[in-house]
Amino acid sequence: MNPIDLHACRVKPDKTMDLSAYPTTPPDALTQEDSTQWPERLHDLAEQLNRLQTILHAGQSRGLLLILQGMDTAGKDGCIRSVFTHVSPLGVRAEAFGVPHALELRHDFLWRVHAKTPAWGEMVIFNRSHYEDVLVPVVHRDISKATRIQRLEHIRHFESLLHDAGIAVVKCYLHISKQEQKKRLQARMDDPLKHWKVQASDFDDRKKWNAFMRAYEQALQETSTEHAPWYVVPADSKAYRDLFVSELLVHTLESMKLVMPQPQLKLSDYTLR
Amino acid sequence: MNPIDLHACRVKPDKTMDLSAYPTTPPDALTQEDSTQWPERLHDLAEQLNRLQTILHAGQSRGLLLILQGMDTAGKDGCIRSVFTHVSPLGVRAEAFGVPHALELRHDFLWRVHAKTPAWGEMVIFNRSHYEDVLVPVVHRDISKATRIQRLEHIRHFESLLHDAGIAVVKCYLHISKQEQKKRLQARMDDPLKHWKVQASDFDDRKKWNAFMRAYEQALQETSTEHAPWYVVPADSKAYRDLFVSELLVHTLESMKLVMPQPQLKLSDYTLR
């Protein structure tokens, strides 16, 4: 199949961004014919991811943080489920960040996320993250512009701290169209097994769609750095979204040039009897 | 008694500092006569500290972090014990940072300290801190100059994150002379009840006294900022050291203009029967 163009979906630092210029659907070049190969390709990537994660775990000298953001129904949960199918929970940890609880609110906004960052040897997925603190309160006008700018600056410094400590930081905005969200919310309302996922805030946030897009644009353009880039993942197609994120993770881990550590024993000295 | 000159002992940002220019003994102006008043003054400050801490705890909107650093025997433990005599453990928490353990070493150097920072309503004392990571490895030449500079920058950003979240950061280097350390180490060796405090590293570090002074000078001058200043506390006299730190804390808390929150009930509506 045609290679996935990660680079085209990477947010360039310091460029004023326009989310509507980024596709929510797979590129036209990927024809109907190609899409029949996607399941096999995804399976192949999942196995590569497992192999790379084993080396990361064995080496204990680097870590990886995947940050997933997106509007409701953008597919964060689904993406985590499919991309990491072949990876052992021993080496991958998913951390969800909901509405901050009382003790979290009594600390700086990075306190709760810093505590959950990957140790060397770990892959960690943030299902929502510190970016919520520059999205929701911006849309709801709960923080001043000065506070927003200050938080974005703290985020850049925080992510560069992680980078300097050997943690690769990869950030994905799962990009769906407003029409696609309508379809998915309707599907949740129609399926009793999905009712638990429907919340009043889904409807409120949908009404503020444009304000959320503006907040995302600001956040992404201010924090897409060389060492912690943002990718706008076309996410109207679940299969393509999963392919994209898998490809990105494999690419990132490959570029870390991880190697298996030397054995701790001189194995030739040992004989099994 | 003469007021304690906090300002003179504050490290000015961006000035090249020379620790030997800072006194280890109380100012001459504080005569023998004055020192007889010290116990009473310390007691008075401890009560003020208790009063201010109660308002901090009740208000739940600000916090205070006191960082204590110093050579072995400089008096960190003793200072914590005397300054906080009148403060309830409900509102003050001491956190000691020893040699990092295995999991801590697999994270960035600020991970373990960030987790222990004060919540709103709390006073926290760091007995040693993240500054160890720009002292010991510098003296032992375990990190490059580039890493040292990078860490100092991360420290500045980290402390400004705390500041922006409403945490007052106060940093004290307890300054003793090499001769005073000799007396104190000897006293520990002579007193069986203090033997547990004597470690081989005390002797090694003492041999590297000058290298430690250079590392402290670099760290203090690079990280003494407007919102997280360093104070060089004259610490050859234990009583004066405790007075100084108490005065500094009271001064800091006073300048935060803390106020008791309004009662949650309209008290006049309630009658006890």
Side-chain angles (χ1 to χ4, degrees), chain A residues 106 108 114 120 154 164, chain B residues 60 106 108 114 120 154 164:
Chain A
R106 288 166 58 209
D108 67 86
H114 198 175
W120 287 348
H154 287 312
D164 290 340
Chain B
Q60 299 260 327
R106 287 166 58 208
D108 68 86
H114 198 175
W120 287 348
H154 286 312
D164 289 341

Side-chain angles (χ1 to χ4, degrees), chain B:
Chain B
M1 67 181 282
N2 290 315
I4 291 176
D5 192 351
L6 299 173
H7 188 75
C9 296
R10 180 171 170 152
V11 180
K12 308 303 172 293
D14 298 325
K15 287 269 166 65
T16 303
M17 90 171 292
D18 172 8
L19 263 177
S20 66
Y22 287 80
T24 60
T25 52
D28 295 337
L30 289 182
T31 59
Q32 187 60 32
E33 193 181 17
D34 276 321
S35 74
T36 59
Q37 301 167 23
W38 291 359
E40 194 184 335
R41 176 87 183 123
L42 185 65
H43 182 266
D44 181 48
L45 284 166
E47 289 198 335
Q48 285 188 57
L49 198 56
N50 179 44
R51 181 181 56 79
L52 288 160
Q53 191 276 322
T54 302
I55 305 176
L56 188 79
H57 179 70
Q60 299 260 327
S61 63
R62 300 294 305 275
L64 184 134
L65 175 62
L66 170 65
I67 295 177
L68 288 182
Q69 286 285 157
M71 297 295 286
D72 296 311
T73 76
K76 297 182 289 294
D77 297 9
C79 180
I80 293 170
R81 186 186 284 270
S82 5
V83 170
F84 296 92
T85 321
H86 287 263
V87 178
S88 166
L90 276 176
V92 69
R93 172 161 58 90
E95 299 285 353
F97 295 97
V99 176
H101 62 56
L103 181 62
E104 289 170 348
L105 287 171
R106 287 166 58 208
H107 281 91
D108 68 86
F109 77 106
L110 295 173
W111 182 74
R112 63 175 186 159
V113 291
H114 198 175
K116 303 294 188 184
T117 50
W120 287 348
E122 275 191 319
M123 289 174 50
V124 171
I125 309 148
F126 278 3
N127 187 358
R128 303 187 189 274
S129 66
H130 42 294
Y131 284 95
E132 292 294 314
D133 296 291
V134 287
L135 294 167
V136 182
V138 167
V139 170
H140 295 166
R141 298 175 193 277
D142 288 337
I143 59 171
S144 67
K145 189 178 173 195
T147 300
R148 182 178 67 76
I149 290 170
Q150 199 179 63
R151 286 189 182 177
L152 290 166
E153 197 179 334
H154 286 312
I155 288 175
R156 283 194 299 271
H157 292 312
F158 168 62
E159 292 176 354
S160 96
L161 170 70
L162 298 180
H163 167 79
D164 289 341
I167 308 300
V169 182
V170 182
K171 303 181 287 195
C172 289
Y173 169 70
L174 303 186
H175 191 27
I176 54 167
S177 65
K178 199 173 172 188
Q179 296 87 314
E180 179 65 20
Q181 191 196 48
K182 188 177 182 183
K183 261 171 55 188
R184 293 187 186 181
L185 280 176
Q186 191 60 55
R188 286 185 181 181
M189 291 166 76
D190 295 344
D191 180 352
L193 283 176
K194 291 185 175 169
H195 284 178
W196 68 277
K197 281 200 156 189
V198 185
Q199 293 183 304
S201 62
D202 298 351
F203 298 88
D204 295 340
D205 289 354
R206 182 170 167 80
K207 280 186 204 146
K208 300 189 176 109
W209 185 274
N210 290 338
F212 268 104
M213 291 305 107
R214 295 301 86 74
Y216 265 113
E217 284 166 351
Q218 290 170 340
L220 269 57
Q221 97 194 17
E222 295 290 327
T223 60
S224 191
T225 58
E226 204 53 55
H227 55 263
W230 271 107
Y231 290 84
V232 178
V233 181
D236 278 356
S237 152
K238 294 175 182 179
Y240 185 75
R241 166 201 77 200
D242 296 342
L243 263 188
F244 188 104
V245 175
S246 300
E247 184 85 39
L248 176 59
L249 289 175
V250 167
H251 167 81
T252 304
L253 288 161
E254 291 282 11
S255 69
M256 289 162 78
K257 313 255 182 251
L258 303 167
V259 286
M260 272 292 182
Q262 292 300 308
Q264 294 174 41
L265 305 175
K266 193 179 164 201
L267 297 179
S268 56
D269 286 354
Y270 291 76
T271 321
L272 289 165
R273 288 178 200 282

